[in-house]
Amino acid sequence: MLKGFRDFILRGNVMDLAVAVIIGAAFTGIVTALTSNIINPLLGAIVGKPNFDYLVAHINGGEIKYGSFLTAIVNFLLIAGVVYFFFVLPTQYLLKKFNPPAAEPPKTRACPQCLGDIPVAATRCKFCTQPVTPA
């Protein structure tokens, strides 16, 4: 029983998930600080108010706070944009720079008899009809 538990815990995806949760929790503070201290004040300077909490509909004596919902949508879009443009795009650029895509394997090869280009999986040359061994 303990061996099975040990194998489960030490499996790569469990450890990766644990690290991702911890890094994500720490990363939340950075993204929240960026959006609440920089992006929202800039929007407040442009639009006039950084949020829409003041938008309330009064229906039959009840309050519908649709402004809070709009603020949550805008905050989500801002956070998603910050994460994408400030973190995802630069990371993708660096990964492409340091890990260029692997070369695609050739789709054709030369026939040993007539040197014509034939598909790699061919067993007979389409030009000279000689049998060839597939690669």
Side-chain angles (χ1 to χ4, degrees), residues 107-109 117-124 126 132 135:
K107 295 181 180 179
T108 61
R109 62 186 171 116
D117 280 339
I118 59 173
V120 172
T123 57
R124 188 171 292 274
K126 65 181 176 180
V132 293

Side-chain angles (χ1 to χ4, degrees), residues 81-119:
V82 165
V83 168
Y84 183 74
F85 289 111
F86 286 91
F87 299 103
V88 173
L89 280 181
T91 302
Q92 287 177 349
Y93 173 75
L94 287 175
L95 287 175
K96 283 182 185 176
K97 186 175 182 178
F98 292 116
N99 298 327
E104 192 174 310
K107 295 181 180 179
T108 61
R109 62 186 171 116
C111 170
Q113 197 70 25
C114 68
L115 300 178
D117 280 339
I118 59 173

Side-chain angles (χ1 to χ4, degrees), residues 7-61:
D7 293 343
F8 170 73
I9 292 297
L10 295 178
R11 229 183 324 170
N13 55 0
V14 173
M15 296 302 288
D16 291 344
L17 181 61
V19 169
V21 168
I22 293 168
I23 295 297
F27 189 66
T28 301
I30 294 170
V31 173
T32 302
L34 180 63
T35 55
S36 65
N37 296 329
I38 296 173
I39 305 291
N40 283 345
L42 284 174
L43 280 178
I46 294 169
V47 177
K49 292 189 177 185
N51 61 33
F52 302 106
D53 291 343
Y54 62 91
L55 297 174
V56 178
H58 297 280
I59 299 176
N60 292 332

